[in-house]
Amino acid sequence: GEVQIENKAIGINFIDTYVRSGLYPPATLPSGLGTEAAGVVIKVGAGVTALKPGDRVVYAQSPLGAYSEIHNVPLEKLAILPDNLSFEQGAAAFLKGLTVHYLLRQTYEIKPGEVFLFHAAAGGVGLIACQWAKALGAKLIGSVGSDEKAELAKRAGAWATINYRRENIAQRVAELTNGEKVAVVYDSVGKSTWQDSLNSLKRRGLMVSFGNASGPVTGVDLGLLNQKGSLYVTRPSLYGYITNRQELQFASNELFSLIGSGAIKVEVKQEQKFALADAQRAHQVLESGKTSGSSLLIPGL
């Protein structure tokens, strides 16, 4: 049931730092790191007929250990990488793109013309979200940590940006929406933006907390949800949305279609491509908050 992949490009994701730090402890130690890469099939295990050696594939939900030259991955976690996408594009976009798919298309279905708030809009997930929102005809307000990142988000398709280092997030959301606020907030930052996110929601709005970049949200006061207008809160993850190969195919088809059409462009800065041996430095750079878009490990670099 497994397929052996020679990894050509490996995705670095913030969740990898959670596993490394122990916030999301692995089941056993010692453990590998990473769940996302793109590469070439070199062997197939017993019972595998859907793939063959030489096929180009991409994966985002493998068992830990994608930070490697060769990785064994269950068949149901693999998608064929279209010929018009490079290995680097695949590894840079797959986990983040599948994340944006479930957020904007399933957790809450964003409608054309709808205004919503998306934190960390210049990050790897955020830049794909900006482009996807634009493709949907929606208006994404992106929170960012610098003017440079604001410009990146705007170029990617953000309708408006908020520099949280010098602007009050909830106040700006209210101004941008003529006091209406938004029906949904997508928040991967966590602890430091929790209150701002709740304060940006209109009555019966949905708070989607899908990450902890500033630390986990703890001690949630349910009474506060009542006081702020009967709000909803959800804490989703990709593993709640993609549980088999059919669901993976459904989400990846839409993602690859948008990339293939040019609606979503995936570019990785040269300084955010690291040798596999430099994984430690890659994590330090990622956690510094100085990256934008996706970062990769490249075997053989």
Side-chain angles (χ1 to χ4, degrees), residues 107-140:
T107 304
Y108 179 101
E109 193 171 350
I110 294 293
K111 308 288 192 303
E114 184 158 24
V115 184
F116 65 98
L117 176 61
F118 202 104
H119 289 294
V125 173
L127 287 178
I128 292 175
C130 289
Q131 296 175 80
W132 208 314
K134 186 179 180 183
L136 291 171
K139 297 178 176 180
L140 181 149

Side-chain angles (χ1 to χ4, degrees), residues 17 25 29 32 76 100 105 109 149 234 252-254:
T17 70
L29 289 171
E76 67 267 18
V100 175
R105 307 292 284 148
E109 193 171 350
K149 288 189 174 185
T234 184
S252 59
N253 282 349
E254 190 168 354

Side-chain angles (χ1 to χ4, degrees), residues 130-154:
C130 289
Q131 296 175 80
W132 208 314
K134 186 179 180 183
L136 291 171
K139 297 178 176 180
L140 181 149
I141 301 172
S143 81
V144 294
S146 70
D147 291 341
E148 181 192 9
K149 288 189 174 185
E151 187 54 39
L152 277 172
K154 277 269 184 71

Side-chain angles (χ1 to χ4, degrees), residues 50-299:
L51 291 172
K52 63 186 185 305
D55 284 344
R56 303 168 79 250
V57 293
V58 61
Y59 58 90
Q61 296 173 290
S62 76
L64 290 172
Y67 286 20
S68 57
E69 294 171 344
I70 292 174
H71 192 30
N72 294 345
V73 181
L75 172 66
E76 67 267 18
K77 305 298 184 188
L78 291 161
I80 294 282
L81 183 66
D83 290 339
N84 61 341
L85 268 66
S86 69
F87 292 117
E88 290 190 5
Q89 283 178 305
F94 204 46
L95 180 67
K96 298 170 183 72
L98 294 177
T99 298
V100 175
H101 181 270
Y102 86 71
L103 289 171
L104 304 193
R105 307 292 284 148
Q106 294 179 280
T107 304
Y108 179 101
E109 193 171 350
I110 294 293
K111 308 288 192 303
E114 184 158 24
V115 184
F116 65 98
L117 176 61
F118 202 104
H119 289 294
V125 173
L127 287 178
I128 292 175
C130 289
Q131 296 175 80
W132 208 314
K134 186 179 180 183
L136 291 171
K139 297 178 176 180
L140 181 149
I141 301 172
S143 81
V144 294
S146 70
D147 291 341
E148 181 192 9
K149 288 189 174 185
E151 187 54 39
L152 277 172
K154 277 269 184 71
R155 282 207 304 268
W159 175 66
T161 57
I162 299 170
N163 185 336
Y164 61 78
R165 296 196 190 280
R166 65 162 191 269
E167 296 179 284
N168 181 294
I169 292 172
Q171 191 178 315
R172 280 294 292 142
V173 168
E175 289 169 5
L176 288 163
T177 59
N178 297 316
E180 280 193 24
K181 302 188 182 180
V182 294
V184 62
V185 173
Y186 297 100
D187 190 339
S188 63
V189 178
K191 187 177 180 179
S192 68
T193 49
W194 175 252
Q195 287 294 335
D196 286 318
S197 294
L198 294 182
N199 291 337
S200 299
L201 285 165
K202 63 171 68 170
R203 183 171 63 94
R204 295 171 61 193
L206 175 64
M207 166 66 185
V208 183
S209 175
F210 70 101
N212 318 284
S214 68
V217 176
T218 57
V220 175
D221 180 357
L222 293 180
L224 204 57
L225 306 181
N226 173 31
Q227 292 163 26
K228 291 184 180 296
S230 298
L231 303 180
Y232 295 88
V233 175
T234 184
R235 179 59 177 90
S237 76
L238 187 61
Y239 292 89
Y241 286 85
I242 295 181
T243 62
N244 56 51
R245 201 153 188 248
Q246 289 72 33
E247 290 172 345
L248 179 64
Q249 204 65 50
F250 169 72
S252 59
N253 282 349
E254 190 168 354
L255 172 64
F256 292 153
S257 171
L258 285 166
I259 296 174
S261 73
I264 291 178
K265 293 180 174 61
V266 183
E267 296 164 357
V268 181
K269 294 178 180 176
Q270 197 57 42
E271 63 268 26
Q272 287 178 213
K273 297 177 188 178
F274 301 86
L276 190 52
D278 285 338
Q280 179 180 358
R281 185 166 66 87
H283 274 215
Q284 289 168 338
V285 173
L286 186 65
E287 289 176 302
S288 74
K290 292 174 183 169
T291 63
S292 61
S294 299
S295 299
L296 295 174
L297 296 172
I298 309 292

